[in-house]
């Protein structure tokens, strides 16, 4: 009977952990700002990668408060859903389903629409129509996405080390 109980508990742990069991090869501390219909956050976090999988872990006062994992599905504390449903609920229904993943991976969005590159290597995309007014800027230490029409912002900055001496 005890072996049977251990089997059920093990199965339950595997089912509950679901999306969180992925191991990421790159983990970078970042200053993360998210202003979406469902998330308002600005503090330290981690951006993790492994091939096409991405995870953002958000912290407040050193405590993890949210994980957004994009793999075959998108998982948040409220549960897992398709990437398309996530973008519709958390960003904007007019956006392509891969928008959040491409922002987090520092890639072109909207198939490169409105893309411009500066001589310093910075990349900008400007997308403006009746449904959106987007500025998407990628520099060496920052990813900045803002939709002024829909009041959305995603900003991911490298953490600068403080080398001040006393």
């Amino acid at each position: 009977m005890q072996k049977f109980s251990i089997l059920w508990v093990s199965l339950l742990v595997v089912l509950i952990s679901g999306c969180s069991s992925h191991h990421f090869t790159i983990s970078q501390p970042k200053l993360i700002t998210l202003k979406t219909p469902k998330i308002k956050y600005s503090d330290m976090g981690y951006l993790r990668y492994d091939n096409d999988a991405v995870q953002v872990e958000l912290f407040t006062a050193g405590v993890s408060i949210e994980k957004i994992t994009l793999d075959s599905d998108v998982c948040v504390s409220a549960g897992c859903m398709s990437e398309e449903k996530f973008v519709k609920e958390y960003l904007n229904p007019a956006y392509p389903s891969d928008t959040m993943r491409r922002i987090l991976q520092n890639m072109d969005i909207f198939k490169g629409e409105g893309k411009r590159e500066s001589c310093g290597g910075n990349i900008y995309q400007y997308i403006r129509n009746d449904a959106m007014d987007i500025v998407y800027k990628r520099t060496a230490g920052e990813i900045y996405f803002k939709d002024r029409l829909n009041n959305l912002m995603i900003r991911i900055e490298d953490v600068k080390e403080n080398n001040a001496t006393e």
Side-chain angles (χ1 to χ4, degrees), residues 64-117:
S64 177
I65 60 163
E66 179 70 84
K67 284 184 186 176
I68 303 169
T69 305
L70 294 93
D71 202 355
S72 56
D73 284 330
V74 179
C75 296
V76 294
S77 58
C80 295
M81 63 193 84
S82 70
E83 205 165 352
E84 181 178 5
K85 184 176 180 186
F86 175 83
V87 169
K88 283 182 181 179
E89 287 185 20
Y90 284 79
L91 299 178
N92 186 301
Y95 295 176
S97 63
D98 64 349
T99 302
M100 185 68 163
R101 180 184 305 267
R102 296 185 72 78
I103 291 170
L104 295 176
Q105 291 179 325
N106 199 12
M107 299 170 69
D108 292 349
I109 57 173
F110 292 78
K111 298 180 182 177
E113 179 182 333
K115 181 178 175 180
R116 297 182 186 134
E117 293 185 43

Side-chain angles (χ1 to χ4, degrees), residues 100-160:
M100 185 68 163
R101 180 184 305 267
R102 296 185 72 78
I103 291 170
L104 295 176
Q105 291 179 325
N106 199 12
M107 299 170 69
D108 292 349
I109 57 173
F110 292 78
K111 298 180 182 177
E113 179 182 333
K115 181 178 175 180
R116 297 182 186 134
E117 293 185 43
S118 71
C119 52
N122 298 333
I123 301 170
Y124 300 88
Q125 280 186 258
Y126 300 99
I127 303 161
R128 187 173 293 152
N129 59 39
D130 292 340
M132 62 196 79
D133 183 7
I134 294 173
V135 174
Y136 178 45
K137 176 177 73 169
R138 297 177 283 156
T139 65
E142 178 185 38
I143 299 169
Y144 177 81
F145 172 92
K146 183 163 186 163
D147 183 340
R148 293 179 280 219
L149 190 60
N150 295 295
N151 205 21
L152 295 168
M153 186 174 76
I154 301 169
R155 186 175 189 173
I156 303 169
E157 298 176 84
D158 287 349
V159 176
K160 296 173 181 73

